[in-house]
Amino acid sequence: MSYRFLKVEERKITLKSGAEAPYALVTIDSPPLNPLSSGVFHDLDALISKLEADKTRVAIITGAGKAFVAGADISEMKGMDKAKAKEYSLLGHKIFSRMENSPVIFIAAVNGFALGGGLELAMASDIRVLAEAAQMGLPEATLGLIPGFGGTQRLQRLIGQSAAKYLALTAERITAQDALRLGLAAKVVAGESLIAEAEGTAGKILALGPKAAQTLKTVMREGADMALP
């Protein structure tokens, strides 16, 4: 399958058992800063369908160049009326909900800027591994907007309402170490080690029983907002 804005590699990891386990390495490549255009969303939609059809268990998502995803595509948004803006927002919601509900486990390897929609993409992933130079934030309010792809809700579920309100209401960018401290990142590594670290994480997941890993993802997601009983 060909994609306009994604580079997709099918790779394999050799497990301790000696068996080879496949996974996908996905690079968002939409220069200069990989904005989330509707085209990128449509590519991601097709990608998720392909991964699920192939029963791919793990996918690593990263960005080309100095950005993971620097945000929504402002140039595309400028020409939108209310109806088109709503359609664009709902498209983003659809893709990120698909990621969360997919049996595929997504690892965001955040190599650089993850701002606005980029942070929202990272939050829709199951695990976030950051390069030391990565920066995260929700700068939408500086443009008179609010996050349009679920960021207001996912962020507070990940780091708590107080910290989430601070980031959203100040539009402050945080460093990778700040993200780690807040629980937004699982690990922070040197930039040159980022993909290797993400692949190591993928290997640990692929060494698990497939049904167990998928069930863990499902029950943790579905139970997060439920009463404990």
Side-chain angles (χ1 to χ4, degrees):
M1 181 179 290
S2 61
Y3 304 93
R4 184 178 175 189
F5 300 104
L6 304 180
K7 293 181 178 177
V8 182
E9 300 176 47
E10 295 182 1
R11 295 187 174 188
K12 292 183 179 180
I13 290 175
T14 302
L15 306 177
K16 290 181 179 179
S17 64
E20 287 191 328
Y23 68 99
L25 175 63
V26 181
T27 304
I28 300 174
D29 188 8
S30 180
L33 297 173
N34 308 323
L36 284 178
S37 65
S38 55
V40 172
F41 277 134
H42 288 303
D43 274 3
L44 287 171
D45 197 24
L47 170 70
I48 295 167
S49 295
K50 178 74 162 51
L51 294 173
E52 292 177 348
D54 292 346
K55 299 189 183 305
T56 302
R57 294 176 56 197
V58 177
I60 298 169
I61 299 182
T62 193
K66 65 179 182 180
F68 175 67
V69 167
D73 192 335
I74 302 299
S75 62
E76 183 178 358
M77 291 172 65
K78 284 180 179 178
M80 292 179 180
D81 57 18
K82 287 183 179 181
K84 286 292 185 182
K86 182 176 182 180
E87 181 182 333
Y88 177 54
S89 179
L90 290 175
L91 178 61
H93 279 288
K94 171 191 170 183
I95 303 310
F96 294 162
S97 292
R98 284 200 71 188
M99 289 175 63
E100 287 180 325
N101 290 285
S102 175
V104 181
I105 295 171
F106 291 94
I107 301 170
V110 182
N111 53 298
F113 300 119
L115 305 173
L119 177 51
E120 290 172 305
L121 171 61
M123 291 191 292
S125 301
D126 300 290
I127 296 171
R128 287 157 293 282
V129 180
L130 273 58
E132 290 173 336
Q135 295 182 31
M136 290 181 150
L138 293 176
E140 286 89 344
T142 63
L143 301 174
L145 305 170
I146 68 168
F149 306 130
T152 56
Q153 305 310 307
R154 289 189 179 93
L155 186 60
Q156 63 181 330
R157 284 163 169 77
L158 286 168
I159 67 174
Q161 191 175 86
S162 177
K165 280 185 175 179
Y166 179 84
L167 290 182
L169 290 170
T170 63
E172 183 177 304
R173 293 186 187 184
I174 60 171
T175 66
Q177 289 297 335
D178 287 335
L180 182 65
R181 174 178 57 82
L182 290 169
L184 193 50
K187 284 190 174 182
V188 174
V189 297
E192 61 269 21
S193 303
L194 178 64
I195 298 303
E197 182 66 38
E199 289 175 327
T201 301
K204 292 176 183 177
I205 295 168
L206 291 167
L208 304 176
K211 189 64 175 178
Q214 291 178 0
T215 302
L216 279 169
K217 172 172 174 170
T218 299
V219 298
M220 293 180 78
R221 181 192 69 247
E222 292 184 355
D225 301 316
M226 296 173 66
L228 186 58

Coordinates of all heavy atoms in Angstrom, one line a residue, residues 108-165:
A108 N 4.8 5.9 20.4 CA 5.2 7.2 19.8 C 6.6 7.4 20.1 O 7.0 7.5 21.3 CB 4.3 8.3 20.3
A109 N 7.5 7.4 19.1 CA 8.9 7.8 19.3 C 9.0 9.2 18.9 O 9.2 9.6 17.8 CB 9.8 6.9 18.4
V110 N 8.9 10.1 20.0 CA 8.8 11.5 19.7 C 10.2 12.1 19.6 O 11.0 12.3 20.6 CB 8.1 12.2 20.9 CG1 7.9 13.7 20.7 CG2 6.7 11.6 21.1
N111 N 10.6 12.4 18.4 CA 11.9 12.9 18.0 C 12.2 14.4 18.1 O 13.3 14.8 18.2 CB 12.3 12.4 16.6 CG 11.2 12.9 15.6 OD1 10.0 12.5 15.7 ND2 11.6 13.7 14.6
G112 N 11.1 15.2 18.2 CA 11.3 16.6 18.2 C 10.0 17.3 18.7 O 9.4 16.9 19.6
F113 N 9.6 18.3 18.0 CA 8.4 19.1 18.4 C 7.1 18.2 18.3 O 6.9 17.6 17.3 CB 8.2 20.3 17.5 CG 9.3 21.3 17.5 CD1 10.0 21.6 16.3 CD2 9.7 21.9 18.7 CE1 11.1 22.5 16.3 CE2 10.7 22.9 18.7 CZ 11.4 23.1 17.5
A114 N 6.4 18.2 19.4 CA 5.1 17.5 19.4 C 4.1 18.5 20.0 O 3.9 18.5 21.3 CB 5.2 16.2 20.3
L115 N 3.6 19.4 19.2 CA 2.8 20.5 19.6 C 1.4 20.4 19.1 O 1.2 20.0 18.0 CB 3.5 21.8 19.2 CG 5.0 22.0 19.6 CD1 5.5 23.3 18.9 CD2 5.1 22.1 21.1
G116 N 0.5 20.8 19.9 CA -0.9 20.8 19.4 C -1.3 19.4 19.0 O -1.3 18.5 19.8
G117 N -1.7 19.3 17.7 CA -2.1 18.0 17.2 C -1.0 16.9 17.3 O -1.3 15.7 17.4
G118 N 0.3 17.4 17.3 CA 1.4 16.4 17.5 C 1.3 15.8 18.9 O 1.6 14.6 19.1
L119 N 1.1 16.6 19.9 CA 0.9 16.1 21.3 C -0.3 15.2 21.4 O -0.3 14.1 22.0 CB 0.8 17.2 22.3 CG 0.6 16.8 23.8 CD1 1.6 15.8 24.3 CD2 0.6 18.0 24.7
E120 N -1.4 15.6 20.7 CA -2.6 14.8 20.7 C -2.4 13.4 20.0 O -2.9 12.4 20.5 CB -3.7 15.6 20.0 CG -4.2 16.8 20.8 CD -5.2 17.7 20.0 OE1 -4.8 18.1 18.9 OE2 -6.3 17.9 20.5
L121 N -1.6 13.4 19.0 CA -1.2 12.1 18.3 C -0.4 11.2 19.3 O -0.6 10.0 19.5 CB -0.4 12.3 17.1 CG 0.2 11.1 16.4 CD1 -0.8 10.1 16.0 CD2 1.1 11.5 15.2
A122 N 0.6 11.9 20.0 CA 1.4 11.1 20.9 C 0.5 10.6 22.1 O 0.7 9.4 22.5 CB 2.5 12.0 21.5
M123 N -0.5 11.4 22.5 CA -1.3 10.9 23.6 C -2.3 9.8 23.2 O -2.7 9.0 24.0 CB -2.1 12.1 24.2 CG -1.2 13.1 24.9 SD -2.2 14.3 25.9 CE -3.0 15.3 24.6
A124 N -2.6 9.8 21.9 CA -3.5 8.7 21.4 C -2.7 7.4 21.3 O -3.3 6.3 21.2 CB -4.1 9.0 20.1
S125 N -1.4 7.5 21.4 CA -0.5 6.3 21.3 C -0.5 5.6 22.7 O -0.8 6.3 23.7 CB 0.9 6.6 20.9 OG 0.9 7.2 19.6
D126 N -0.1 4.4 22.8 CA -0.2 3.7 24.1 C 1.1 4.0 25.0 O 1.0 4.0 26.2 CB -0.2 2.2 23.8 CG -1.5 1.8 23.1 OD1 -2.6 1.9 23.6 OD2 -1.4 1.4 21.9
I127 N 2.2 4.2 24.3 CA 3.5 4.5 25.1 C 4.2 5.6 24.3 O 4.2 5.6 23.1 CB 4.3 3.2 25.1 CG1 3.6 2.1 25.9 CG2 5.7 3.5 25.7 CD1 4.3 0.7 25.8
R128 N 4.8 6.5 25.1 CA 5.5 7.6 24.5 C 7.0 7.5 25.0 O 7.3 7.6 26.2 CB 4.9 8.9 25.0 CG 3.6 9.2 24.3 CD 2.7 10.2 25.0 NE 2.3 9.6 26.3 CZ 1.3 8.7 26.4 NH1 0.6 8.4 25.3 NH2 0.9 8.2 27.5
V129 N 7.9 7.4 24.0 CA 9.3 7.5 24.3 C 9.9 8.8 23.6 O 9.6 9.0 22.5 CB 10.1 6.2 23.7 CG1 11.6 6.3 24.0 CG2 9.5 5.0 24.3
L130 N 10.6 9.6 24.4 CA 11.0 10.9 23.9 C 12.5 11.0 23.7 O 13.2 10.5 24.6 CB 10.5 12.0 24.9 CG 9.1 12.6 24.7 CD1 8.0 11.5 24.8 CD2 8.8 13.7 25.7
A131 N 12.9 11.7 22.7 CA 14.3 12.1 22.6 C 14.5 13.3 23.5 O 13.6 14.1 23.8 CB 14.6 12.6 21.1
E132 N 15.7 13.5 23.9 CA 16.1 14.5 24.9 C 15.7 15.9 24.4 O 15.3 16.8 25.2 CB 17.6 14.5 25.2 CG 18.0 13.3 26.1 CD 19.5 13.2 26.2 OE1 20.2 13.7 25.4 OE2 19.9 12.6 27.2
A133 N 15.7 16.1 23.1 CA 15.5 17.4 22.5 C 14.0 17.7 22.2 O 13.6 18.7 21.8 CB 16.2 17.6 21.2
A134 N 13.1 16.7 22.5 CA 11.7 16.8 22.2 C 11.1 17.9 23.1 O 11.5 18.2 24.2 CB 11.0 15.5 22.5
Q135 N 10.1 18.5 22.5 CA 9.3 19.5 23.3 C 7.8 19.2 23.0 O 7.4 18.8 21.9 CB 9.6 20.9 22.8 CG 11.0 21.4 23.0 CD 11.2 22.8 22.6 OE1 10.3 23.7 22.6 NE2 12.4 23.1 22.2
M136 N 7.0 19.5 24.1 CA 5.6 19.2 24.0 C 4.8 20.4 24.5 O 5.2 21.2 25.3 CB 5.2 18.0 24.8 CG 5.7 16.6 24.3 SD 5.2 15.2 25.3 CE 5.1 13.9 24.1
G137 N 3.6 20.5 24.0 CA 2.7 21.6 24.4 C 1.4 21.7 23.6 O 1.3 21.1 22.6
L138 N 0.5 22.5 24.2 CA -0.8 22.8 23.5 C -0.9 24.3 23.3 O -1.4 25.0 24.1 CB -2.0 22.3 24.3 CG -2.1 20.8 24.6 CD1 -3.2 20.5 25.5 CD2 -2.3 20.1 23.2
P139 N -0.3 24.8 22.1 CA -0.3 26.2 21.9 C -1.5 26.8 21.2 O -1.5 28.0 20.9 CB 0.9 26.4 21.0 CG 0.9 25.1 20.2 CD 0.4 24.0 21.1
E140 N -2.6 26.0 21.1 CA -3.7 26.5 20.3 C -4.3 27.8 20.7 O -4.8 28.6 19.9 CB -4.8 25.4 20.3 CG -4.5 24.2 19.4 CD -3.7 23.1 20.2 OE1 -3.2 23.4 21.3 OE2 -3.7 22.0 19.7
A141 N -4.3 28.0 22.1 CA -5.0 29.3 22.6 C -4.3 30.5 22.1 O -4.9 31.6 22.1 CB -5.1 29.2 24.1
T142 N -3.0 30.4 21.7 CA -2.3 31.6 21.2 C -2.8 32.0 19.9 O -2.6 33.1 19.4 CB -0.8 31.3 21.1 OG1 -0.6 30.3 20.2 CG2 -0.2 30.9 22.5
L143 N -3.6 31.1 19.2 CA -4.2 31.4 17.9 C -5.7 31.6 18.1 O -6.4 31.8 17.1 CB -4.0 30.2 17.0 CG -2.5 29.9 16.6 CD1 -2.4 28.6 15.8 CD2 -1.8 31.0 16.0
G144 N -6.1 31.7 19.3 CA -7.6 31.9 19.6 C -8.4 30.7 19.4 O -9.6 30.7 19.2
L145 N -7.7 29.5 19.5 CA -8.4 28.2 19.3 C -8.2 27.4 20.6 O -7.5 27.8 21.5 CB -7.8 27.5 18.1 CG -7.8 28.2 16.8 CD1 -6.9 27.4 15.8 CD2 -9.2 28.4 16.2
I146 N -8.9 26.2 20.6 CA -8.6 25.2 21.6 C -8.2 23.9 20.9 O -8.4 23.8 19.7 CB -9.8 24.9 22.5 CG1 -10.9 24.3 21.8 CG2 -10.3 26.2 23.2 CD1 -12.0 23.7 22.7
P147 N -7.5 23.0 21.6 CA -7.1 21.7 20.9 C -8.4 21.1 20.3 O -9.4 20.9 21.0 CB -6.6 20.9 22.1 CG -6.0 22.0 23.0 CD -7.0 23.1 22.9
G148 N -8.3 20.6 19.1 CA -9.4 20.2 18.3 C -9.5 18.7 18.1 O -10.5 18.2 17.5
F149 N -8.5 17.9 18.7 CA -8.5 16.5 18.4 C -8.6 15.7 19.7 O -8.0 14.5 19.8 CB -7.3 16.0 17.6 CG -7.2 16.8 16.3 CD1 -6.0 17.4 16.0 CD2 -8.3 16.9 15.4 CE1 -5.8 18.1 14.8 CE2 -8.1 17.6 14.2 CZ -6.9 18.2 13.9
G150 N -9.1 16.2 20.8 CA -9.2 15.5 22.0 C -8.2 15.8 23.1 O -8.2 15.2 24.2
G151 N -7.3 16.7 22.8 CA -6.2 17.0 23.7 C -6.6 17.5 25.1 O -6.0 17.2 26.1
T152 N -7.7 18.3 25.2 CA -8.2 18.8 26.5 C -8.6 17.6 27.4 O -8.4 17.8 28.6 CB -9.4 19.7 26.3 OG1 -10.4 19.0 25.6 CG2 -9.0 21.0 25.5
Q153 N -9.1 16.5 26.8 CA -9.5 15.4 27.7 C -8.4 14.4 27.9 O -8.3 13.9 29.1 CB -10.7 14.8 27.0 CG -11.9 15.7 26.7 CD -12.2 16.6 27.9 OE1 -12.5 16.1 29.0 NE2 -12.3 17.9 27.7
R154 N -7.6 14.1 26.9 CA -6.6 13.1 27.1 C -5.5 13.6 28.0 O -5.0 12.8 28.9 CB -6.0 12.6 25.8 CG -7.0 11.8 24.9 CD -6.3 11.2 23.7 NE -7.2 10.4 23.0 CZ -8.0 10.8 22.0 NH1 -7.9 12.1 21.5 NH2 -8.8 10.0 21.3
L155 N -5.1 14.8 27.9 CA -4.0 15.3 28.7 C -4.4 15.3 30.2 O -3.5 14.8 31.0 CB -3.7 16.8 28.3 CG -2.5 17.4 29.0 CD1 -1.2 16.5 28.7 CD2 -2.2 18.8 28.6
Q156 N -5.5 15.7 30.6 CA -5.9 15.6 32.1 C -6.0 14.2 32.6 O -5.7 13.9 33.7 CB -7.1 16.4 32.4 CG -8.4 16.0 31.7 CD -9.6 16.9 32.1 OE1 -9.6 17.5 33.2 NE2 -10.5 17.0 31.2
R157 N -6.4 13.3 31.7 CA -6.4 11.9 32.1 C -5.0 11.3 32.3 O -4.9 10.4 33.1 CB -7.2 11.1 31.1 CG -8.7 11.3 31.2 CD -9.5 10.8 30.0 NE -10.9 10.8 30.1 CZ -11.7 11.8 30.1 NH1 -11.2 13.1 29.9 NH2 -13.0 11.7 30.3
L158 N -4.1 11.8 31.6 CA -2.7 11.3 31.7 C -1.9 12.0 32.8 O -1.1 11.3 33.5 CB -2.0 11.5 30.4 CG -2.3 10.6 29.2 CD1 -1.8 11.1 27.9 CD2 -1.9 9.2 29.5
I159 N -2.1 13.3 33.0 CA -1.2 13.9 34.0 C -2.0 14.7 35.1 O -1.4 15.3 36.0 CB -0.3 15.0 33.3 CG1 -1.1 16.1 32.7 CG2 0.6 14.3 32.2 CD1 -0.2 17.2 32.1
G160 N -3.3 14.5 35.1 CA -4.1 15.2 36.1 C -4.6 16.6 35.7 O -3.9 17.2 34.8
Q161 N -5.7 17.0 36.3 CA -6.3 18.2 35.8 C -5.5 19.5 36.0 O -5.4 20.4 35.2 CB -7.7 18.4 36.4 CG -8.5 19.5 35.7 CD -9.9 19.5 36.3 OE1 -10.2 20.2 37.3 NE2 -10.8 18.8 35.6
S162 N -4.8 19.6 37.2 CA -4.1 20.8 37.5 C -3.0 21.0 36.6 O -2.8 22.1 36.0 CB -3.5 20.7 39.0 OG -2.8 21.8 39.3
A163 N -2.1 20.0 36.3 CA -1.0 20.2 35.4 C -1.5 20.4 34.0 O -1.0 21.2 33.2 CB -0.1 18.9 35.4
A164 N -2.6 19.7 33.6 CA -3.2 19.9 32.2 C -3.7 21.3 32.0 O -3.5 21.9 31.0 CB -4.3 18.8 32.0
K165 N -4.4 21.8 33.0 CA -4.9 23.2 32.9 C -3.7 24.1 32.8 O -3.8 25.1 32.0 CB -5.7 23.5 34.1 CG -7.2 23.0 34.0 CD -8.0 23.5 35.2 CE -9.4 23.1 35.1 NZ -10.2 23.5 36.3

